[in-house]
Amino acid sequence: MRDRIVRAVTDRFAGDSGGHDADHTFRVVRNALRIWEVEGGNRDMVELAAMLHDVDDRKLFGGDPDECAFARSVMGDDFDEPFKDAVCSIIRNISFKGTDTKVPDSLEGRIVQDADRLDAIGAIGIARAFAYGGSKGRKMYDPLDKPKEGMGENEYFANTGTTVNHFYEKLLLLKDLMNTDEGRSMAQHRHDIMESFLKEFYDEWGL
Ligand code: ADP
Ligand code: NI
């Protein structure tokens, strides 16, 4: 059953180079299980929600995450309805949406949200941000284009600013939004890496 889900996820993301490939998902699973070891909760739910957290993403697949269609079809008959509903509720609520971001109401959801955020920061987070920005034809940096503060969901998703701005609009905010103690302590080091990266970036730019 686990192999089947890994295969379905791998196929779903085949061809993505914008930082949302299956490897992102597998790193999120690893982060999530590490946090689960400290924080507890339902292990199967943490693992499955992490595995399926991006398979219905609107940006990637144009579907409606609220319907959770792909995730439900992958879970099939291997899980009962309440379990599938709980996984879908996690998937629906973990995404960053600016000031409209939600804190998931279950421990398992808070763990998976932290695990996803950890992969958006640190060295891999930096690489993913530039990969994503490049895939959308965005500039890396423009000293005249200032980051926007306090964006809500619609404004955040309509935003087409530079990748460096994305650090101020999301990545550097995540450390203080972590839900779990273990997630927070993992986030601190990755946050420091981004701060050093930006300092070096501005130096090399000649600012
Ligand atoms: P989430 O996992 O919270 O749903 P997203 O799907 O929005 O996050 O983002 C996935 C990856 O793409 C993250 O690493 C994120 O930082 C990056 N990304 C999203 N929007 C941008 C952007 N405007 N510029 C650069 N990178 C972005
Ligand atoms: Ni993700």
Side-chain angles (χ1 to χ4, degrees), residues 16-192:
D16 182 285
S17 58
H20 256 118
D21 48 22
D23 293 326
H24 159 63
T25 285
F26 302 139
R27 289 191 301 267
V28 172
V29 172
R30 202 162 67 99
N31 291 340
L33 291 176
R34 179 165 160 188
I35 300 173
W36 169 83
E37 275 176 24
V38 178
E39 307 283 338
N42 180 326
R43 189 183 189 283
D44 283 347
M45 191 172 294
V46 167
E47 185 174 25
L48 218 58
M51 250 332 164
L52 299 175
H53 81 275
D54 269 339
V55 300
D56 285 301
D57 191 302
R58 183 176 280 130
K59 287 194 301 311
L60 304 176
F61 305 113
D64 181 354
D66 286 351
E67 287 177 12
C68 199
F70 191 87
R72 269 187 197 285
S73 78
V74 173
M75 289 187 279
D77 297 329
D78 288 330
F79 302 91
D80 60 25
E81 286 302 318
F83 184 92
K84 287 192 270 190
D85 289 345
V87 168
C88 285
S89 155
I90 292 174
I91 294 173
R92 215 170 278 140
N93 288 317
I94 67 166
S95 199
F96 183 81
K97 301 179 176 121
T99 53
D100 292 317
T101 303
K102 295 203 177 66
V103 178
D105 49 20
S106 66
L107 171 61
E108 291 81 2
R110 292 192 290 275
I111 290 175
V112 178
Q113 186 178 63
D114 278 5
D116 192 26
R117 287 169 169 178
L118 284 167
D119 204 55
I121 61 178
I124 286 183
I126 295 170
R128 290 182 69 212
F130 286 99
Y132 180 96
S135 78
K136 299 282 179 195
R138 311 253 169 94
K139 280 180 98 165
M140 290 197 295
Y141 178 55
D142 178 347
L144 299 177
D145 184 0
K146 301 293 178 205
K148 300 191 185 69
E149 275 173 38
M151 284 187 282
E153 179 172 1
N154 293 336
E155 202 188 347
Y156 175 76
F157 283 113
N159 183 24
T160 56
T162 67
T163 299
V164 166
N165 281 354
H166 185 65
F167 283 74
Y168 299 92
E169 291 161 352
K170 173 181 174 186
L171 308 184
L172 294 167
L173 310 178
L174 294 179
K175 171 177 72 76
D176 292 329
L177 294 174
M178 301 300 284
N179 304 303
T180 66
D181 287 344
E182 181 62 11
R184 213 175 347 269
S185 82
M186 290 166 77
Q188 183 65 55
H189 174 71
R190 296 180 190 214
H191 182 89
D192 296 343

